[in-house]
Amino acid sequence: MRFLFALVFGVLLCLHLGQASNSTTTTTDSSATTTTDSSATTTTTASSTTTTTSSSSSSSSAAAKRRRRERRRRLARERRRRQERKQRQEKRQRKMKKLLARQRRLINQLRG
């Protein structure tokens, strides 16, 4: 039971740290501060205010690029494997045809 609790806590901690890495935090003690991020602009006019905004647009763009790159690589790998499989099959067929032709010649020689 303790292990399960520790595992769940660890997963939640990892998720929280992953979200925290994509955010901008501004702490102010002055009367007015403006924080500009890729996803939000926040203006605060109070003393000792903390504002956190997430920048998901840039990370989603990077994630989309990564997915497209991975997909291109996967498709290229599959295409290469299909081509190699086809070449092996053709080579095997040529080899079998040669073997069959040689066997026919031997049979015809033995028949006289």
Side-chain angles (χ1 to χ4, degrees), residues 18-30:
Q19 289 177 346
S21 67
N22 290 334
S23 64
T24 301
T25 303
T26 305
T27 304
T28 61
D29 287 329
S30 63

Side-chain angles (χ1 to χ4, degrees), residues 84-97:
E84 290 170 354
R85 191 179 318 122
K86 184 178 178 181
Q87 288 175 351
R88 284 193 308 268
Q89 186 177 9
E90 289 173 350
K91 183 178 178 182
R92 190 170 40 246
Q93 286 176 349
R94 284 192 304 271
K95 185 178 175 182
M96 292 303 288
K97 283 182 182 181

Side-chain angles (χ1 to χ4, degrees), residues 91-106:
K91 183 178 178 182
R92 190 170 40 246
Q93 286 176 349
R94 284 192 304 271
K95 185 178 175 182
M96 292 303 288
K97 283 182 182 181
K98 281 185 176 181
L99 178 64
L100 184 61
R102 193 173 75 226
Q103 288 175 344
R104 284 183 180 155
R105 275 196 310 274
L106 287 173

Side-chain angles (χ1 to χ4, degrees), residues 38-78:
S38 62
S39 63
T41 301
T42 306
T43 303
T44 59
T45 55
S47 63
S48 188
T49 303
T50 302
T51 304
T52 304
T53 56
S54 176
S55 62
S56 61
S57 62
S58 63
S59 64
S60 66
S61 175
K65 286 180 183 178
R66 188 181 69 246
R67 283 193 303 270
R68 283 193 296 268
R69 184 175 59 242
E70 289 173 357
R71 183 173 187 268
R72 278 196 309 271
R73 288 179 179 172
R74 180 178 49 83
L75 291 175
R77 187 170 47 245
E78 290 174 359

